[in-house]
Amino acid sequence: MQSFWFGDMDEDGVFKPFEGDIQEFIARIKELSSSGHVVPVDPGVAIDAGMFSDRREYLSALRKVCFAHAEEKIKEHYSQEDLELVQMVRMLDEMDNVINLMTERATEWYLVRKPGFSRKYKNIPAKKMLGQMKRERGTGLGYLAGHIEKLADERTRLMKAISAMAGKLAPNCSELVGGLVAARLISRAGSLKELSGLPSSSIQVIGAESALFTHMRAKTPPPKHGIIFQHRRVHNAPKPVRGKVARVLAGKLAIAAKIDYYTGSFNEEFICEAQERIDRTLYGAEYEKKEAGNKNNSGDAE
């Protein structure tokens, strides 16, 4: 039997048209595709079978089915929760850029009004500086500083929401590197599915693409880490072992991403083993000595 999206033809050449609405036609196409059947487009067969009067009518029906199928695919794609997380991270990055740029411009404006302030403003935190600008009541500068401060508060709330959502969607990655860093990795990869398919070497340098391409083109030293540098265990690690810690962490993240995508559940056993492996890499002989001391103490207690 030969199957088409519009019906079936048996070995004797008898054609049986498929009857149903648009959604049933889409379900049929999916079923044929998943079972390995090729769904050929042959208007001649459909016209000869009497299902369509001419080629124009056939193409009109095929167009409706294809459009409906495309719309359903788009809905399925955007119904994934991790895509919302990607957009939230991108919004956070845009807010950072806007806040930094507006704060810088407001500072330059304030320096015109208060020239004596220019010697010390670089050592003042941005939040305190905005507070000083807000004292310029009745001016455009004071009004603007208040809005920048409100935008910074919204940025903080968005960051907390991102961390919470990342902890829900990628609990193992979030436990390893924190919700915000995990969300940034998912965002740069494109989705949790894409992140789960990346090797550890790629995860290690996500966010350091410019340095990686410079290394490939100009033979400069390769980057040892990208976004994962934001994790405290990497940026607090001594320089001699920083690259090794980043490599081990990236390896564990590659496994964690797969667990998150395919199971969606928190694996405490894996997390404990991963944390132990990272600590062993970070602290080296000190960690081994500590573990030996703990075993001796437990043996004495027994």
Side-chain angles (χ1 to χ4, degrees), residues 85 88 154-167:
L85 181 65
M88 291 171 70
E154 290 299 326
R155 188 260 180 203
T156 301
R157 278 192 281 271
L158 177 59
M159 182 180 66
K160 292 179 179 178
I162 289 172
S163 296
M165 180 174 285

Side-chain angles (χ1 to χ4, degrees), residues 130-166:
L130 288 173
Q132 291 188 356
M133 296 179 195
K134 284 175 63 178
R135 295 173 189 170
E136 300 289 313
R137 299 184 182 280
T139 66
L141 178 60
Y143 181 77
L144 179 63
H147 278 280
I148 296 174
E149 195 171 64
K150 289 180 181 178
L151 187 60
D153 292 338
E154 290 299 326
R155 188 260 180 203
T156 301
R157 278 192 281 271
L158 177 59
M159 182 180 66
K160 292 179 179 178
I162 289 172
S163 296
M165 180 174 285

